Amino acid sequence: MSDLKPARVRFAPSPTGRFHIGGARTALYDFLLARQTGGQFILRIEDTDRKRYVPGAEGEIMESLRWLGLDWDEGPDIGGPYRPYRQSERTEFYQQHAENLVARGHGYYCFCTPERLSQLRKQQQKLKQPPRYDGHCRRLDPEEARGRVADGESFVIRFKTPREGSTTAVDLLRGPITVENSTLDDYILLKSDGLPVYHLAAMVDDHMMKISHVFRGSEWLPTFPLHVLIYEALDWEQPIWVHLSIFLNPSGKGKMSKRDAGVNEIYVLDLKQMGYLPEGLLNWIALMGWSYDDRTEFFTLDELIEKFSLQKLHPSPAAVDYKKLDHFNGNHIRSLAPDELADRLRPYLKMEGLEVNEGILQQITPLVQERIRTLDEAADIAGFFFHKTVEPDPSELIGKNMTREESIVATRRSYEVIESLPTIEVEPLEAALRVLAEEMNLTAGQLFGILRIAITGQRISTPLIESMEVIGKQEVLNRITRAVDLLESQAER
Ligand code: GLU
């Protein structure tokens, strides 16, 4: 464990859509810092924007985090000392603090109607001025304003941004960012329906929940000074702010991997469906904004917990490189124990409608382990093991640069050679077939090419000889007989 103080970090997604890799990266960094320092990782649902609320989104967030193995210590489902953890259940706190800002002279009631505001916006557009509140209600006498509120007039609470001076906000990755206060708006903090906007709700919660580090997307940089001003207005101690780099869409340049084609692959559960391991995904996103050194690229979650450091985070945009993801995923697949990999493969094989025989699954797992980059590829290269028969395309049974007749002879001879072997273990089988190829003046590639189609029905499969051993001598002979028949019936036509 590091010598840093136990960190309290929160992941605060809005349930406004599907859960994507950007959110997963933020959650990962939160989790890493919490685990490394022996602190807490908190899940807070920021659902105050009812217009953008998407039913089911919260469930997808939790399912994704659980699948990734990023378990939280406090959250809406499990509670915790600072409950509730869903902002829609915390309205009274936001109202209190908005009132508090008004009482301290850092906020004010605003009664401007939507019509007046839209009029104002139009005017500003015409004059090519930035859209900004003109301070109409800022000038109201506080007593009078209070009276209007008491009378039931509709109002919002705005932040009373200082007109003079400047504000410096310090981001861990970028250093101090200073803005002139005159460029900032009097932002609405509490809406007329009594619900807070992000700028209020998140600050109140981070303070109340004793958050030590705020990791969030760099889209919050423009309003970062406002957040600092709110902290200052309430005399609160600021957390350490970390704005994470943006993601660049994969460029159209270079060879596109098959995963580049769609748009859905940024969603965590879609990537799961596509056969990525949580380990591969975590490794990939960990390095989109953080690095350990120039060389090390393979990390397990435990290694990330150990090696993660705030100093190595960087603000440069992260390229979403799916080839890298495939690469990491393949590495993580190869590092799983075969039993573990078999467990992971099973649901993907079933998804393809295959009836999974456990004995065969155990036997083929080591064969696919070296060859797949995603779990769904196992069905492509090894699905045939679970079929009783294969249906080779007769034209594919003709060997490379060979005639049909030569292919028939080669297939028949293979039958004889295999039949004569007491067992078909890999070594004697391979040796015998190589001798046969030589005798027939064929390359091993030519002969194995025919046999691969005969035995597996496909051009790309698990290694041929090993696959034959798994399938067993009798079934191998049956398939070769069938291949001869297919070749001969073609020849007769
Ligand atoms: N609810 C905000 C979002 O989803 C969270 C930003 C933050 O972490 O403070 O963008």
Side-chain angles (χ1 to χ4, degrees), residues 204-252:
V204 167
D205 287 346
D206 287 344
H207 170 73
M208 291 182 73
M209 296 179 178
K210 300 200 165 45
I211 299 304
S212 60
H213 298 72
V214 169
F215 291 93
R216 59 182 187 179
S218 54
E219 68 269 24
W220 295 108
L221 279 171
T223 44
F224 182 23
L226 165 70
H227 304 147
V228 168
L229 282 168
I230 293 174
Y231 266 86
E232 288 176 352
L234 290 163
D235 267 333
W236 290 344
E237 194 186 328
Q238 291 180 53
I240 291 170
W241 302 96
V242 190
H243 293 88
L244 300 171
S245 58
I246 57 161
F247 281 13
L248 294 180
N249 286 333
S251 77

Side-chain angles (χ1 to χ4, degrees), residues 182-195:
S182 58
T183 64
L184 301 173
D185 204 352
D186 280 0
Y187 294 89
I188 293 174
L189 298 184
L190 197 71
K191 295 178 289 181
S192 57
D193 58 5
L195 293 178

Side-chain angles (χ1 to χ4, degrees), residues 22 27 36 58 80 127 151 187 204 251 267 314 319 324 398 410 412 431 483 488:
Q36 182 178 74
E58 181 181 317
L127 298 171
D151 288 344
Y187 294 89
V204 167
S251 77
Y267 301 118
H314 56 78
K324 253 203 162 126
I398 297 168
R412 283 181 184 285
E488 284 180 339

